[in-house]
Amino acid sequence: MELDPEFVEEFANLKVSTRKISPEELASFNEKAPLRERSQTKHPSYAHIPQFFYVPPPPADRLRHLLRKEAHSVFLQQQAEEQLDSEELNQLWDRLKEHVTETTAKKQQLISYDDYCKLQSIVGDKCRKYLTARLFAYLLCDSAYLGFVEVATIYNYTIRKVWLTQCRIGLSFYDEVGQGYLREFDLENYLVDLLPTLSQIRDCMQPSFQKFYVCTAVKRFFFFLDRLRTGRIRIRDILASGMINELMELRHEPKKTDTETETEESSPPNCFSMPAVLAIYENYLSLDQDHNGLLSKQELVYYGSGTLSSVFLDRVFEECHTYDGEMDYKSFLDFVLALDNRQTPQGLHYLFRMLDVHHTGYLTEQTLHYFFKGIQEQMVAFSEEAVNFEDISNEIFDMVKPKDPRKITLQDLNNCGQGETVVSILIEFHKFWAYENHNNNPQNI
């Protein structure tokens, strides 16, 4: 793009000054403004660039806001009508079985590309959008049968794609801004409307507990997906995370197996299930000894094993939002999610913020010593033999292997694979003691 020579000369003559601008100079500057506008907005190439961003109407413009919202709803409704329903999916399965090319000795039904093309020609327009040549080529890459794809694989892919699209449309209905993300308020509304369809929750939840369940579920989404704490998460991130799948599993009754033990060992508990949410809420109530609905530092001392260091808890109450020095349920949820998921980037991010006393973005040997003093205090309380800090500091730096040998960043903790161990031995005595005695008494740190 070639700039106007007059504009280039004018820009080159600009100088930084702290003096006040006179009215005459300001008027002269405004007279030259059209020159700048002409040089920036009248370039021929601008006519070939389509508009790709539309600024949403401000909240004060009520009419435009309602019009945009109504247009968005109509669009989503049209998208929903184009999705395959259960009857159409059943018909697709029948058509797939009719076009099976061959069946293996293990009863695996396979289809070739020629028969796949024949199938494309007889299905309706809605099905044809899914049964593309690209899909067949994609599934063929992972097929164990040369030149063939399993019929069940095509059907399962179609069901999965339909489900994800329907889920995205459902979430988009609550996107008040219309920019592809949900705020906490939007996600809360979505969950409130979704709860009646979750049979595992609906049949055992008291109405008074609903707001606590919604709060717990929303906080889990935002803790893992809103890493920059912007107060919003993208709908595409919600779908890609798999968390929405876990939530939707609660629509169906759990599968019965021969024994309850087999069920527990075969799959991890659903974090959105009523027992999982109740466990967190009941823990909060049990810690709230004065029953004022908030947790003080003296009450939070008894969390978990009861060996979190006082230095670490001081930092928690310094960094977290509190009410007259006491923690509410939302802050407690962040605290629990971080300690229960120390191995994740999100958990390490939360804990690193507590460890980064001076907000420098890195930990030094002095920082480690500051937190280790809390561990040493507990060692004295439990009448344990003192441990040399220099040995612990050297072990930590050896585990992390930071780029700067004197500074440990959050990225270093994530990269080393030992971040969970490092933060645990700095904030919790029983984790430190388990690490210190792992040769004689192996445990998971």
Side-chain angles (χ1 to χ4, degrees), residues 223-268:
F223 180 83
F224 287 104
L225 301 181
D226 183 22
R227 295 179 63 177
L228 299 179
R229 299 297 180 259
T230 60
R232 63 187 191 183
I233 49 181
R234 297 190 303 176
I235 292 176
R236 63 190 302 177
D237 290 339
I238 296 176
L239 298 173
S241 69
M243 296 174 66
I244 195 71
N245 302 28
E246 198 168 358
L247 182 64
M248 292 300 182
E249 288 176 2
L250 301 176
R251 294 181 300 178
H252 313 292
E253 293 300 326
K255 296 180 180 179
K256 301 296 183 180
T257 56
D258 295 337
T259 63
E260 290 295 331
T261 304
E262 289 180 1
T263 304
E264 294 176 0
E265 293 179 354
S266 61
S267 60

Side-chain angles (χ1 to χ4, degrees), residues 177-247:
V177 183
Q179 298 296 312
Y181 59 79
L182 298 181
R183 302 160 297 179
E184 283 197 32
F185 177 75
D186 302 325
L187 191 55
E188 286 173 358
N189 288 337
Y190 172 76
L191 288 174
V192 168
D193 292 340
L194 183 68
L195 283 179
T197 69
L198 306 179
S199 59
Q200 293 188 41
I201 301 297
R202 177 193 62 219
D203 300 336
C204 60
M205 183 172 65
Q206 298 294 329
S208 59
F209 185 69
Q210 175 176 298
K211 64 179 182 180
F212 293 101
Y213 179 88
V214 171
C215 175
T216 306
V218 169
K219 181 59 70 174
R220 179 174 287 274
F221 275 102
F222 274 83
F223 180 83
F224 287 104
L225 301 181
D226 183 22
R227 295 179 63 177
L228 299 179
R229 299 297 180 259
T230 60
R232 63 187 191 183
I233 49 181
R234 297 190 303 176
I235 292 176
R236 63 190 302 177
D237 290 339
I238 296 176
L239 298 173
S241 69
M243 296 174 66
I244 195 71
N245 302 28
E246 198 168 358
L247 182 64

Side-chain angles (χ1 to χ4, degrees), residues 22 27 35 50 100 111 131 145 147 160 162 183 208 263 276 294 300 318 346 390 396 427 434 437 444:
S22 66
L35 173 63
V100 170
I111 186 172
L131 303 180
Y145 306 95
R160 172 76 174 169
V162 169
R183 302 160 297 179
S208 59
T263 304
L294 300 170
L300 197 60
E318 288 174 7
Q346 295 85 350
E390 292 185 0
I396 290 176
I427 68 174
N437 296 274
N444 292 326

Side-chain angles (χ1 to χ4, degrees), residues 1 40-51:
M1 173 179 174
Q40 295 181 15
T41 61
K42 299 299 184 180
H43 194 274
S45 66
Y46 287 11
H48 305 290
I49 302 177
Q51 185 173 357

Side-chain angles (χ1 to χ4, degrees), residues 1-47:
M1 173 179 174
E2 185 178 354
L3 296 176
D4 191 309
E6 294 183 25
F7 174 71
V8 173
E9 182 180 358
E10 179 189 1
F11 183 80
N13 293 330
L14 288 177
K15 295 182 180 179
V16 178
S17 175
T18 58
R19 67 181 179 84
K20 294 183 178 180
I21 300 176
S22 66
E24 293 77 12
E25 289 176 317
L26 182 60
S28 176
F29 179 83
N30 290 333
E31 289 177 0
K32 295 181 179 180
L35 173 63
R36 287 187 292 275
E37 295 175 0
R38 182 170 65 253
S39 64
Q40 295 181 15
T41 61
K42 299 299 184 180
H43 194 274
S45 66
Y46 287 11

Side-chain angles (χ1 to χ4, degrees), residues 173-411:
F173 272 110
Y174 295 83
D175 177 12
E176 291 287 337
V177 183
Q179 298 296 312
Y181 59 79
L182 298 181
R183 302 160 297 179
E184 283 197 32
F185 177 75
D186 302 325
L187 191 55
E188 286 173 358
N189 288 337
Y190 172 76
L191 288 174
V192 168
D193 292 340
L194 183 68
L195 283 179
T197 69
L198 306 179
S199 59
Q200 293 188 41
I201 301 297
R202 177 193 62 219
D203 300 336
C204 60
M205 183 172 65
Q206 298 294 329
S208 59
F209 185 69
Q210 175 176 298
K211 64 179 182 180
F212 293 101
Y213 179 88
V214 171
C215 175
T216 306
V218 169
K219 181 59 70 174
R220 179 174 287 274
F221 275 102
F222 274 83
F223 180 83
F224 287 104
L225 301 181
D226 183 22
R227 295 179 63 177
L228 299 179
R229 299 297 180 259
T230 60
R232 63 187 191 183
I233 49 181
R234 297 190 303 176
I235 292 176
R236 63 190 302 177
D237 290 339
I238 296 176
L239 298 173
S241 69
M243 296 174 66
I244 195 71
N245 302 28
E246 198 168 358
L247 182 64
M248 292 300 182
E249 288 176 2
L250 301 176
R251 294 181 300 178
H252 313 292
E253 293 300 326
K255 296 180 180 179
K256 301 296 183 180
T257 56
D258 295 337
T259 63
E260 290 295 331
T261 304
E262 289 180 1
T263 304
E264 294 176 0
E265 293 179 354
S266 61
S267 60
N270 190 317
C271 61
F272 294 105
S273 65
M274 184 58 69
V277 175
L278 276 175
I280 298 175
Y281 182 69
E282 290 173 354
N283 191 9
Y284 183 79
L285 293 181
S286 65
L287 292 171
D288 183 18
Q289 297 177 1
D290 57 6
H291 306 292
N292 68 341
L294 300 170
L295 297 182
S296 64
K297 178 191 169 185
Q298 291 70 27
E299 292 171 330
L300 197 60
V301 165
Y302 299 100
Y303 174 80
S305 64
T307 59
L308 289 169
S309 72
S310 59
V311 176
F312 170 68
L313 291 177
D314 286 338
R315 285 290 301 146
V316 170
F317 280 84
E318 288 174 7
E319 291 293 325
C320 295
H321 181 72
T322 59
Y323 298 86
D324 294 329
E326 294 192 302
M327 177 185 293
D328 68 344
Y329 185 60
K330 285 189 174 182
S331 295
F332 177 73
L333 288 172
D334 278 332
F335 178 80
V336 171
L337 288 169
L339 291 179
D340 288 349
N341 299 276
R342 311 176 199 201
Q343 75 285 2
T344 65
Q346 295 85 350
L348 286 177
H349 182 273
Y350 178 96
L351 296 173
F352 185 86
R353 185 160 57 94
M354 305 302 147
L355 297 175
D356 185 11
V357 179
H358 302 293
H359 304 98
T360 56
Y362 56 82
L363 311 179
T364 62
E365 186 174 358
Q366 289 74 22
T367 309
L368 302 185
H369 186 259
Y370 174 77
F371 283 93
F372 191 70
K373 287 191 298 184
I375 300 297
Q376 289 176 320
E377 292 174 359
Q378 291 186 319
M379 294 180 70
V380 173
F382 285 98
S383 302
E384 297 291 350
E385 184 178 351
V387 177
N388 186 5
F389 166 72
E390 292 185 0
D391 294 338
I392 297 299
S393 177
N394 291 335
E395 288 184 33
I396 290 176
F397 275 90
D398 287 342
M399 281 191 289
V400 178
K401 295 181 176 59
K403 290 183 178 181
D404 187 325
R406 294 177 298 177
K407 300 176 182 177
I408 297 176
T409 65
L410 176 59
Q411 190 63 47

